[in-house]
Amino acid sequence: MSWKGKARLFEDASYGKLWDLEMGPDGYDDAPDDYIRALLPVLADWKKQLEKKRDDLRERPDGPFHALSERWLREESEAYQRALLKLSEAWLAYFFCFEGSGVPTSLIFDRDGGAK
């Protein structure tokens, strides 16, 4: 799967998505956990692939495609960071807002990570 395909898997990650998975008409108690658990291996695999590509790029001598490979690696790394942040924000917002931390929702951050 290309990194753009992986990034698409995280587009829906939000507080609202996790809420709907549990509280929606077809929801169940462990649905948000199952959703997160399904995406974590994708992130772990993606990170390993990035590390391997980074190592390969360091070992490869400068050539005509070196700058292009660096740019591609930078773009993929940024997409990975965005996916990781989006999933983290969704889980934290859901955990603190729904599970209850005693902290008012408005003091944490936007319930949807600002992704409305």
Side-chain angles (χ1 to χ4, degrees), residues 1 3 6-11 13 35-51 76-89 91:
M1 177 185 305
W3 66 267
K6 290 177 186 171
R8 280 190 210 106
L9 294 173
F10 295 86
E11 288 177 352
Y35 178 77
I36 298 294
R37 284 187 193 110
L39 290 175
L40 288 178
V42 175
L43 282 174
D45 181 53
W46 196 356
K47 183 177 179 182
K48 285 179 191 175
Q49 288 176 357
L50 283 170
E51 290 169 349
E76 183 175 4
S77 295
E78 290 170 359
Y80 167 81
Q81 291 295 324
R82 284 190 302 271
L84 178 63
L85 181 63
K86 188 163 177 100
L87 191 63
S88 299
E89 285 183 350
W91 180 247

mmCIF file of all heavy atoms in Angstrom, residues 1 3 6-11 13 35-51 76-89 91:
data_model
loop_
_atom_site.group_PDB
_atom_site.id
_atom_site.type_symbol
_atom_site.label_atom_id
_atom_site.label_comp_id
_atom_site.label_asym_id
_atom_site.label_seq_id
_atom_site.Cartn_x
_atom_site.Cartn_y
_atom_site.Cartn_z
ATOM 1 N N MET A 1 0.851 -1.175 0.000
ATOM 2 C CA MET A 1 0.000 0.000 0.000
ATOM 3 C C MET A 1 0.897 1.239 0.000
ATOM 4 O O MET A 1 1.841 1.324 0.758
ATOM 5 C CB MET A 1 -0.896 -0.016 1.238
ATOM 6 C CG MET A 1 -1.763 1.198 1.372
ATOM 7 S SD MET A 1 -2.746 1.307 2.887
ATOM 8 C CE MET A 1 -3.637 -0.227 2.891
ATOM 9 N N TRP A 3 1.995 5.206 0.590
ATOM 10 C CA TRP A 3 1.810 6.036 1.785
ATOM 11 C C TRP A 3 0.557 6.891 1.664
ATOM 12 O O TRP A 3 -0.072 7.207 2.668
ATOM 13 C CB TRP A 3 3.056 6.868 2.078
ATOM 14 C CG TRP A 3 3.402 7.926 1.078
ATOM 15 C CD1 TRP A 3 4.235 7.815 0.008
ATOM 16 C CD2 TRP A 3 2.946 9.276 1.066
ATOM 17 N NE1 TRP A 3 4.317 8.990 -0.668
ATOM 18 C CE2 TRP A 3 3.541 9.921 -0.043
ATOM 19 C CE3 TRP A 3 2.087 10.005 1.875
ATOM 20 C CZ2 TRP A 3 3.313 11.248 -0.351
ATOM 21 C CZ3 TRP A 3 1.857 11.335 1.564
ATOM 22 C CH2 TRP A 3 2.467 11.942 0.467
ATOM 23 N N LYS A 6 -2.183 4.722 2.900
ATOM 24 C CA LYS A 6 -2.137 4.623 4.364
ATOM 25 C C LYS A 6 -2.700 5.886 4.998
ATOM 26 O O LYS A 6 -3.447 5.823 5.973
ATOM 27 C CB LYS A 6 -0.700 4.398 4.828
ATOM 28 C CG LYS A 6 -0.174 3.043 4.489
ATOM 29 C CD LYS A 6 1.275 2.912 4.899
ATOM 30 C CE LYS A 6 1.823 1.597 4.417
ATOM 31 N NZ LYS A 6 3.254 1.485 4.588
ATOM 32 N N ALA A 7 -2.338 7.031 4.447
ATOM 33 C CA ALA A 7 -2.819 8.301 5.005
ATOM 34 C C ALA A 7 -4.343 8.381 4.960
ATOM 35 O O ALA A 7 -4.973 8.911 5.878
ATOM 36 C CB ALA A 7 -2.191 9.471 4.258
ATOM 37 N N ARG A 8 -4.939 7.818 3.910
ATOM 38 C CA ARG A 8 -6.401 7.840 3.785
ATOM 39 C C ARG A 8 -7.089 7.057 4.906
ATOM 40 O O ARG A 8 -8.216 7.361 5.273
ATOM 41 C CB ARG A 8 -6.821 7.292 2.430
ATOM 42 C CG ARG A 8 -6.685 8.304 1.336
ATOM 43 C CD ARG A 8 -7.330 7.825 0.037
ATOM 44 N NE ARG A 8 -6.610 8.424 -1.054
ATOM 45 C CZ ARG A 8 -5.751 7.793 -1.853
ATOM 46 N NH1 ARG A 8 -5.542 6.512 -1.730
ATOM 47 N NH2 ARG A 8 -5.117 8.430 -2.799
ATOM 48 N N LEU A 9 -6.409 6.054 5.428
ATOM 49 C CA LEU A 9 -6.996 5.267 6.518
ATOM 50 C C LEU A 9 -7.243 6.108 7.766
ATOM 51 O O LEU A 9 -8.074 5.774 8.590
ATOM 52 C CB LEU A 9 -6.080 4.096 6.884
ATOM 53 C CG LEU A 9 -5.886 3.014 5.838
ATOM 54 C CD1 LEU A 9 -4.827 2.018 6.300
ATOM 55 C CD2 LEU A 9 -7.204 2.305 5.548
ATOM 56 N N PHE A 10 -6.513 7.212 7.897
ATOM 57 C CA PHE A 10 -6.586 8.033 9.099
ATOM 58 C C PHE A 10 -7.447 9.279 8.919
ATOM 59 O O PHE A 10 -7.613 10.051 9.844
ATOM 60 C CB PHE A 10 -5.169 8.428 9.540
ATOM 61 C CG PHE A 10 -4.351 7.246 9.949
ATOM 62 C CD1 PHE A 10 -3.646 6.521 9.014
ATOM 63 C CD2 PHE A 10 -4.318 6.826 11.266
ATOM 64 C CE1 PHE A 10 -2.909 5.402 9.376
ATOM 65 C CE2 PHE A 10 -3.594 5.714 11.645
ATOM 66 C CZ PHE A 10 -2.887 5.004 10.697
ATOM 67 N N GLU A 11 -7.992 9.474 7.733
ATOM 68 C CA GLU A 11 -8.783 10.677 7.464
ATOM 69 C C GLU A 11 -10.002 10.803 8.365
ATOM 70 O O GLU A 11 -10.388 11.901 8.734
ATOM 71 C CB GLU A 11 -9.214 10.706 5.995
ATOM 72 C CG GLU A 11 -8.088 11.010 5.041
ATOM 73 C CD GLU A 11 -8.517 10.956 3.589
ATOM 74 O OE1 GLU A 11 -9.660 10.529 3.300
ATOM 75 O OE2 GLU A 11 -7.695 11.334 2.738
ATOM 76 N N ALA A 13 -10.327 9.565 11.432
ATOM 77 C CA ALA A 13 -10.023 9.487 12.867
ATOM 78 C C ALA A 13 -10.397 10.809 13.537
ATOM 79 O O ALA A 13 -9.879 11.860 13.192
ATOM 80 C CB ALA A 13 -8.548 9.178 13.095
ATOM 81 N N TYR A 35 -11.096 0.032 16.859
ATOM 82 C CA TYR A 35 -10.723 0.923 15.751
ATOM 83 C C TYR A 35 -9.267 1.365 15.896
ATOM 84 O O TYR A 35 -8.486 1.293 14.941
ATOM 85 C CB TYR A 35 -11.673 2.128 15.755
ATOM 86 C CG TYR A 35 -11.400 3.167 14.706
ATOM 87 C CD1 TYR A 35 -11.775 2.952 13.382
ATOM 88 C CD2 TYR A 35 -10.799 4.379 15.029
ATOM 89 C CE1 TYR A 35 -11.549 3.919 12.416
ATOM 90 C CE2 TYR A 35 -10.573 5.349 14.073
ATOM 91 C CZ TYR A 35 -10.946 5.113 12.765
ATOM 92 O OH TYR A 35 -10.717 6.076 11.812
ATOM 93 N N ILE A 36 -8.897 1.804 17.087
ATOM 94 C CA ILE A 36 -7.521 2.244 17.344
ATOM 95 C C ILE A 36 -6.557 1.071 17.170
ATOM 96 O O ILE A 36 -5.508 1.205 16.535
ATOM 97 C CB ILE A 36 -7.386 2.844 18.762
ATOM 98 C CG1 ILE A 36 -8.270 4.080 18.928
ATOM 99 C CG2 ILE A 36 -5.939 3.157 19.095
ATOM 100 C CD1 ILE A 36 -7.907 5.275 18.092
ATOM 101 N N ARG A 37 -6.914 -0.074 17.727
ATOM 102 C CA ARG A 37 -6.052 -1.263 17.614
ATOM 103 C C ARG A 37 -5.855 -1.691 16.160
ATOM 104 O O ARG A 37 -4.818 -2.240 15.808
ATOM 105 C CB ARG A 37 -6.629 -2.419 18.409
ATOM 106 C CG ARG A 37 -6.426 -2.275 19.889
ATOM 107 C CD ARG A 37 -6.868 -3.541 20.628
ATOM 108 N NE ARG A 37 -6.944 -3.282 22.041
ATOM 109 C CZ ARG A 37 -8.063 -3.223 22.739
ATOM 110 N NH1 ARG A 37 -9.223 -3.434 22.157
ATOM 111 N NH2 ARG A 37 -8.038 -2.971 24.030
ATOM 112 N N ALA A 38 -6.835 -1.472 15.329
ATOM 113 C CA ALA A 38 -6.713 -1.829 13.914
ATOM 114 C C ALA A 38 -5.746 -0.898 13.187
ATOM 115 O O ALA A 38 -5.076 -1.316 12.237
ATOM 116 C CB ALA A 38 -8.081 -1.796 13.245
ATOM 117 N N LEU A 39 -5.665 0.353 13.626
ATOM 118 C CA LEU A 39 -4.800 1.320 12.956
ATOM 119 C C LEU A 39 -3.366 1.334 13.494
ATOM 120 O O LEU A 39 -2.447 1.729 12.785
ATOM 121 C CB LEU A 39 -5.409 2.724 13.057
ATOM 122 C CG LEU A 39 -6.666 2.933 12.232
ATOM 123 C CD1 LEU A 39 -7.263 4.307 12.498
ATOM 124 C CD2 LEU A 39 -6.392 2.751 10.749
ATOM 125 N N LEU A 40 -3.164 0.900 14.713
ATOM 126 C CA LEU A 40 -1.812 0.919 15.291
ATOM 127 C C LEU A 40 -0.808 0.081 14.508
ATOM 128 O O LEU A 40 0.324 0.539 14.285
ATOM 129 C CB LEU A 40 -1.855 0.510 16.764
ATOM 130 C CG LEU A 40 -2.459 1.549 17.706
ATOM 131 C CD1 LEU A 40 -2.503 1.006 19.130
ATOM 132 C CD2 LEU A 40 -1.709 2.865 17.652
ATOM 133 N N PRO A 41 -1.153 -1.127 14.054
ATOM 134 C CA PRO A 41 -0.172 -1.875 13.252
ATOM 135 C C PRO A 41 0.190 -1.174 11.942
ATOM 136 O O PRO A 41 1.318 -1.291 11.465
ATOM 137 C CB PRO A 41 -0.871 -3.214 12.979
ATOM 138 C CG PRO A 41 -1.896 -3.340 14.040
ATOM 139 C CD PRO A 41 -2.321 -1.943 14.375
ATOM 140 N N VAL A 42 -0.757 -0.446 11.370
ATOM 141 C CA VAL A 42 -0.474 0.307 10.151
ATOM 142 C C VAL A 42 0.583 1.368 10.449
ATOM 143 O O VAL A 42 1.554 1.529 9.694
ATOM 144 C CB VAL A 42 -1.754 0.962 9.585
ATOM 145 C CG1 VAL A 42 -1.440 1.848 8.400
ATOM 146 C CG2 VAL A 42 -2.773 -0.099 9.217
ATOM 147 N N LEU A 43 0.414 2.085 11.566
ATOM 148 C CA LEU A 43 1.408 3.089 11.956
ATOM 149 C C LEU A 43 2.767 2.463 12.234
ATOM 150 O O LEU A 43 3.799 2.995 11.811
ATOM 151 C CB LEU A 43 0.935 3.865 13.191
ATOM 152 C CG LEU A 43 -0.102 4.940 12.975
ATOM 153 C CD1 LEU A 43 -0.572 5.502 14.315
ATOM 154 C CD2 LEU A 43 0.448 6.060 12.099
ATOM 155 N N ALA A 44 2.779 1.348 12.936
ATOM 156 C CA ALA A 44 4.046 0.686 13.268
ATOM 157 C C ALA A 44 4.769 0.225 12.006
ATOM 158 O O ALA A 44 5.984 0.434 11.864
ATOM 159 C CB ALA A 44 3.793 -0.488 14.199
ATOM 160 N N ASP A 45 4.031 -0.367 11.084
ATOM 161 C CA ASP A 45 4.628 -0.819 9.831
ATOM 162 C C ASP A 45 5.123 0.362 9.008
ATOM 163 O O ASP A 45 6.220 0.323 8.426
ATOM 164 C CB ASP A 45 3.592 -1.620 9.038
ATOM 165 C CG ASP A 45 4.142 -2.150 7.732
ATOM 166 O OD1 ASP A 45 5.197 -2.811 7.765
ATOM 167 O OD2 ASP A 45 3.514 -1.895 6.681
ATOM 168 N N TRP A 46 4.345 1.407 8.973
ATOM 169 C CA TRP A 46 4.702 2.612 8.222
ATOM 170 C C TRP A 46 6.003 3.198 8.773
ATOM 171 O O TRP A 46 6.888 3.579 8.025
ATOM 172 C CB TRP A 46 3.561 3.597 8.327
ATOM 173 C CG TRP A 46 3.549 4.727 7.348
ATOM 174 C CD1 TRP A 46 4.493 5.027 6.411
ATOM 175 C CD2 TRP A 46 2.535 5.710 7.198
ATOM 176 N NE1 TRP A 46 4.127 6.134 5.701
ATOM 177 C CE2 TRP A 46 2.922 6.569 6.160
ATOM 178 C CE3 TRP A 46 1.332 5.947 7.847
ATOM 179 C CZ2 TRP A 46 2.161 7.652 5.764
ATOM 180 C CZ3 TRP A 46 0.564 7.026 7.445
ATOM 181 C CH2 TRP A 46 0.968 7.863 6.414
ATOM 182 N N LYS A 47 6.120 3.262 10.098
ATOM 183 C CA LYS A 47 7.321 3.805 10.722
ATOM 184 C C LYS A 47 8.549 2.957 10.369
ATOM 185 O O LYS A 47 9.612 3.497 10.047
ATOM 186 C CB LYS A 47 7.152 3.876 12.241
ATOM 187 C CG LYS A 47 8.334 4.499 12.926
ATOM 188 C CD LYS A 47 8.122 4.617 14.413
ATOM 189 C CE LYS A 47 9.355 5.242 15.056
ATOM 190 N NZ LYS A 47 9.222 5.334 16.489
ATOM 191 N N LYS A 48 8.412 1.640 10.407
ATOM 192 C CA LYS A 48 9.528 0.762 10.040
ATOM 193 C C LYS A 48 9.951 0.990 8.595
ATOM 194 O O LYS A 48 11.140 1.026 8.283
ATOM 195 C CB LYS A 48 9.137 -0.705 10.237
ATOM 196 C CG LYS A 48 9.100 -1.140 11.667
ATOM 197 C CD LYS A 48 8.684 -2.600 11.764
ATOM 198 C CE LYS A 48 8.388 -2.982 13.187
ATOM 199 N NZ LYS A 48 7.874 -4.356 13.299
ATOM 200 N N GLN A 49 8.973 1.131 7.714
ATOM 201 C CA GLN A 49 9.284 1.377 6.308
ATOM 202 C C GLN A 49 10.010 2.710 6.129
ATOM 203 O O GLN A 49 10.967 2.796 5.344
ATOM 204 C CB GLN A 49 8.008 1.357 5.470
ATOM 205 C CG GLN A 49 7.423 -0.015 5.304
ATOM 206 C CD GLN A 49 6.101 0.008 4.544
ATOM 207 O OE1 GLN A 49 5.577 1.068 4.186
ATOM 208 N NE2 GLN A 49 5.548 -1.163 4.300
ATOM 209 N N LEU A 50 9.576 3.728 6.847
ATOM 210 C CA LEU A 50 10.244 5.031 6.770
ATOM 211 C C LEU A 50 11.688 4.940 7.267
ATOM 212 O O LEU A 50 12.597 5.515 6.662
ATOM 213 C CB LEU A 50 9.482 6.080 7.582
ATOM 214 C CG LEU A 50 8.228 6.633 6.947
ATOM 215 C CD1 LEU A 50 7.444 7.468 7.966
ATOM 216 C CD2 LEU A 50 8.566 7.463 5.727
ATOM 217 N N GLU A 51 11.893 4.238 8.367
ATOM 218 C CA GLU A 51 13.249 4.085 8.898
ATOM 219 C C GLU A 51 14.146 3.344 7.914
ATOM 220 O O GLU A 51 15.302 3.718 7.714
ATOM 221 C CB GLU A 51 13.212 3.353 10.239
ATOM 222 C CG GLU A 51 12.608 4.193 11.347
ATOM 223 C CD GLU A 51 12.311 3.402 12.609
ATOM 224 O OE1 GLU A 51 12.375 2.147 12.585
ATOM 225 O OE2 GLU A 51 12.000 4.048 13.635
ATOM 226 N N GLU A 76 6.493 11.763 2.759
ATOM 227 C CA GLU A 76 5.907 10.600 3.414
ATOM 228 C C GLU A 76 6.031 10.708 4.935
ATOM 229 O O GLU A 76 5.109 10.366 5.667
ATOM 230 C CB GLU A 76 6.566 9.306 2.935
ATOM 231 C CG GLU A 76 5.923 8.087 3.549
ATOM 232 C CD GLU A 76 6.446 6.775 3.016
ATOM 233 O OE1 GLU A 76 7.381 6.765 2.196
ATOM 234 O OE2 GLU A 76 5.899 5.753 3.439
ATOM 235 N N SER A 77 7.157 11.219 5.414
ATOM 236 C CA SER A 77 7.356 11.401 6.857
ATOM 237 C C SER A 77 6.341 12.389 7.423
ATOM 238 O O SER A 77 5.809 12.186 8.510
ATOM 239 C CB SER A 77 8.770 11.885 7.154
ATOM 240 O OG SER A 77 9.714 10.910 6.810
ATOM 241 N N GLU A 78 6.086 13.458 6.676
ATOM 242 C CA GLU A 78 5.093 14.444 7.112
ATOM 243 C C GLU A 78 3.692 13.828 7.143
ATOM 244 O O GLU A 78 2.916 14.095 8.064
ATOM 245 C CB GLU A 78 5.126 15.664 6.194
ATOM 246 C CG GLU A 78 6.385 16.501 6.359
ATOM 247 C CD GLU A 78 6.542 17.560 5.283
ATOM 248 O OE1 GLU A 78 5.683 17.665 4.374
ATOM 249 O OE2 GLU A 78 7.549 18.294 5.351
ATOM 250 N N ALA A 79 3.376 12.993 6.165
ATOM 251 C CA ALA A 79 2.062 12.331 6.146
ATOM 252 C C ALA A 79 1.941 11.380 7.334
ATOM 253 O O ALA A 79 0.884 11.306 7.972
ATOM 254 C CB ALA A 79 1.876 11.574 4.832
ATOM 255 N N TYR A 80 3.013 10.691 7.657
ATOM 256 C CA TYR A 80 3.010 9.786 8.819
ATOM 257 C C TYR A 80 2.769 10.586 10.097
ATOM 258 O O TYR A 80 1.953 10.193 10.934
ATOM 259 C CB TYR A 80 4.334 9.031 8.900
ATOM 260 C CG TYR A 80 4.539 8.316 10.214
ATOM 261 C CD1 TYR A 80 3.937 7.079 10.444
ATOM 262 C CD2 TYR A 80 5.293 8.883 11.230
ATOM 263 C CE1 TYR A 80 4.100 6.426 11.662
ATOM 264 C CE2 TYR A 80 5.459 8.244 12.441
ATOM 265 C CZ TYR A 80 4.862 7.014 12.654
ATOM 266 O OH TYR A 80 5.017 6.383 13.859
ATOM 267 N N GLN A 81 3.462 11.695 10.247
ATOM 268 C CA GLN A 81 3.295 12.527 11.446
ATOM 269 C C GLN A 81 1.870 13.061 11.560
ATOM 270 O O GLN A 81 1.307 13.101 12.655
ATOM 271 C CB GLN A 81 4.303 13.689 11.441
ATOM 272 C CG GLN A 81 5.731 13.253 11.640
ATOM 273 C CD GLN A 81 5.961 12.641 13.008
ATOM 274 O OE1 GLN A 81 5.375 13.060 13.997
ATOM 275 N NE2 GLN A 81 6.795 11.625 13.051
ATOM 276 N N ARG A 82 1.282 13.468 10.434
ATOM 277 C CA ARG A 82 -0.110 13.949 10.459
ATOM 278 C C ARG A 82 -1.061 12.837 10.882
ATOM 279 O O ARG A 82 -1.982 13.059 11.679
ATOM 280 C CB ARG A 82 -0.512 14.502 9.092
ATOM 281 C CG ARG A 82 0.045 15.868 8.783
ATOM 282 C CD ARG A 82 -0.581 16.468 7.533
ATOM 283 N NE ARG A 82 -0.421 15.647 6.349
ATOM 284 C CZ ARG A 82 0.606 15.696 5.509
ATOM 285 N NH1 ARG A 82 1.591 16.540 5.731
ATOM 286 N NH2 ARG A 82 0.652 14.924 4.445
ATOM 287 N N ALA A 83 -0.856 11.631 10.363
ATOM 288 C CA ALA A 83 -1.720 10.496 10.717
ATOM 289 C C ALA A 83 -1.580 10.161 12.198
ATOM 290 O O ALA A 83 -2.577 9.940 12.891
ATOM 291 C CB ALA A 83 -1.366 9.282 9.855
ATOM 292 N N LEU A 84 -0.356 10.145 12.682
ATOM 293 C CA LEU A 84 -0.110 9.852 14.092
ATOM 294 C C LEU A 84 -0.757 10.902 14.987
ATOM 295 O O LEU A 84 -1.423 10.570 15.972
ATOM 296 C CB LEU A 84 1.397 9.786 14.349
ATOM 297 C CG LEU A 84 1.850 9.545 15.782
ATOM 298 C CD1 LEU A 84 1.371 8.189 16.275
ATOM 299 C CD2 LEU A 84 3.368 9.635 15.854
ATOM 300 N N LEU A 85 -0.610 12.157 14.637
ATOM 301 C CA LEU A 85 -1.201 13.237 15.422
ATOM 302 C C LEU A 85 -2.726 13.168 15.396
ATOM 303 O O LEU A 85 -3.377 13.315 16.430
ATOM 304 C CB LEU A 85 -0.722 14.595 14.902
ATOM 305 C CG LEU A 85 -1.239 15.811 15.638
ATOM 306 C CD1 LEU A 85 -0.774 15.811 17.092
ATOM 307 C CD2 LEU A 85 -0.787 17.080 14.940
ATOM 308 N N LYS A 86 -3.290 12.918 14.234
ATOM 309 C CA LYS A 86 -4.750 12.855 14.115
ATOM 310 C C LYS A 86 -5.320 11.732 14.977
ATOM 311 O O LYS A 86 -6.299 11.923 15.699
ATOM 312 C CB LYS A 86 -5.142 12.664 12.657
ATOM 313 C CG LYS A 86 -6.614 12.784 12.417
ATOM 314 C CD LYS A 86 -6.885 13.009 10.953
ATOM 315 C CE LYS A 86 -8.346 13.064 10.697
ATOM 316 N NZ LYS A 86 -8.894 14.376 10.569
ATOM 317 N N LEU A 87 -4.692 10.561 14.933
ATOM 318 C CA LEU A 87 -5.163 9.437 15.733
ATOM 319 C C LEU A 87 -4.971 9.709 17.225
ATOM 320 O O LEU A 87 -5.850 9.436 18.033
ATOM 321 C CB LEU A 87 -4.434 8.159 15.323
ATOM 322 C CG LEU A 87 -4.993 6.861 15.886
ATOM 323 C CD1 LEU A 87 -6.413 6.621 15.382
ATOM 324 C CD2 LEU A 87 -4.091 5.694 15.516
ATOM 325 N N SER A 88 -3.847 10.298 17.577
ATOM 326 C CA SER A 88 -3.577 10.621 18.984
ATOM 327 C C SER A 88 -4.583 11.629 19.527
ATOM 328 O O SER A 88 -5.115 11.453 20.625
ATOM 329 C CB SER A 88 -2.165 11.192 19.137
ATOM 330 O OG SER A 88 -1.205 10.269 18.735
ATOM 331 N N GLU A 89 -4.838 12.675 18.768
ATOM 332 C CA GLU A 89 -5.796 13.690 19.204
ATOM 333 C C GLU A 89 -7.197 13.105 19.343
ATOM 334 O O GLU A 89 -7.907 13.413 20.297
ATOM 335 C CB GLU A 89 -5.818 14.863 18.224
ATOM 336 C CG GLU A 89 -4.628 15.767 18.349
ATOM 337 C CD GLU A 89 -4.718 16.960 17.404
ATOM 338 O OE1 GLU A 89 -5.596 16.988 16.520
ATOM 339 O OE2 GLU A 89 -3.881 17.866 17.568
ATOM 340 N N TRP A 91 -8.029 9.997 19.979
ATOM 341 C CA TRP A 91 -8.098 9.113 21.147
ATOM 342 C C TRP A 91 -8.080 9.914 22.444
ATOM 343 O O TRP A 91 -8.844 9.631 23.363
ATOM 344 C CB TRP A 91 -6.967 8.093 21.123
ATOM 345 C CG TRP A 91 -7.035 7.192 22.306
ATOM 346 C CD1 TRP A 91 -6.165 7.120 23.330
ATOM 347 C CD2 TRP A 91 -8.077 6.259 22.619
ATOM 348 N NE1 TRP A 91 -6.587 6.200 24.257
ATOM 349 C CE2 TRP A 91 -7.760 5.652 23.840
ATOM 350 C CE3 TRP A 91 -9.244 5.879 21.970
ATOM 351 C CZ2 TRP A 91 -8.562 4.688 24.435
ATOM 352 C CZ3 TRP A 91 -10.045 4.918 22.569
ATOM 353 C CH2 TRP A 91 -9.700 4.334 23.779
#
